[in-house]
Amino acid sequence: MKPIFPVTIHSLNKKASTNLNAVFDTGSYYTIIRSNLLPPKTIVQPDPQTFKTANKKGGLKITGVTILIMQIGNKMIRDEVLVSDELGSDMLIGAKTMQSWDISIVNKNKQTIIVIKHDMRDPEINVVE
């Protein structure tokens, strides 16, 4: 079973946010959000495409792409997110995002936690030398 954790999604201007439950899915390369859960006035660039799903007959239609700020616990990350009207979950956080921000799924004492090693506010990330 893939872990599900609460996440707050912020628009880039940080004037709107949405609380949702995200599935951390290492089997999905992309991070995908259901379109009706985007913060109000989020700009989505059209990028229609269809991905195959584990069900051989199934497919997931993507309508576009956007950039969002995601708050997971006390960590803030920023990444490109695909948008779909058809996603069954609120959001999938995929392997690309997890690798970029060094996010790990850790099982300890029959409890699953998410460990995030980077934060967009870290000096080594937001300072250009």
Side-chain angles (χ1 to χ4, degrees):
M1 186 157 186
K2 297 176 186 348
I4 301 171
F5 285 91
V7 174
T8 301
I9 304 301
H10 300 274
S11 59
L12 284 180
N13 64 11
K14 297 180 188 167
K15 290 186 178 183
S17 63
T18 302
N19 295 314
L20 52 79
N21 291 311
V23 177
F24 287 74
D25 186 357
T26 57
S28 172
Y29 181 72
Y30 295 103
T31 294
I32 309 168
I33 189 168
R34 201 168 63 222
S35 58
N36 66 322
L37 294 173
L38 288 167
K41 298 183 181 179
T42 298
I43 297 171
V44 177
Q45 298 297 320
D47 187 14
Q49 51 188 308
T50 301
F51 291 132
K52 292 181 181 179
T53 60
N55 176 348
K56 292 181 182 178
K57 296 179 184 178
L60 179 68
K61 291 182 183 171
I62 301 298
T63 57
V65 63
T66 191
I67 297 173
L68 294 173
I69 296 170
M70 296 164 261
Q71 182 176 345
I72 306 163
N74 63 350
K75 298 285 187 166
M76 302 280 283
I77 64 174
R78 174 186 164 143
D79 215 346
E80 179 180 87
V81 179
L82 300 178
V83 179
S84 175
D85 298 333
E86 300 178 346
L87 190 63
S89 305
D90 293 354
M91 181 178 205
L92 291 179
I93 295 183
K96 180 178 175 232
T97 300
M98 292 174 69
Q99 289 172 356
S100 295
W101 294 95
D102 203 0
I103 298 172
S104 303
I105 301 168
V106 179
N107 294 303
K108 269 180 138 173
N109 301 325
K110 298 183 183 181
Q111 200 171 33
T112 302
I113 60 170
I114 299 296
V115 176
I116 304 167
K117 299 237 175 113
H118 300 299
D119 186 298
M120 61 185 264
R121 299 165 293 189
D122 291 342
E124 65 270 11
I125 291 175
N126 64 30
V127 173
V128 179
E129 294 182 15

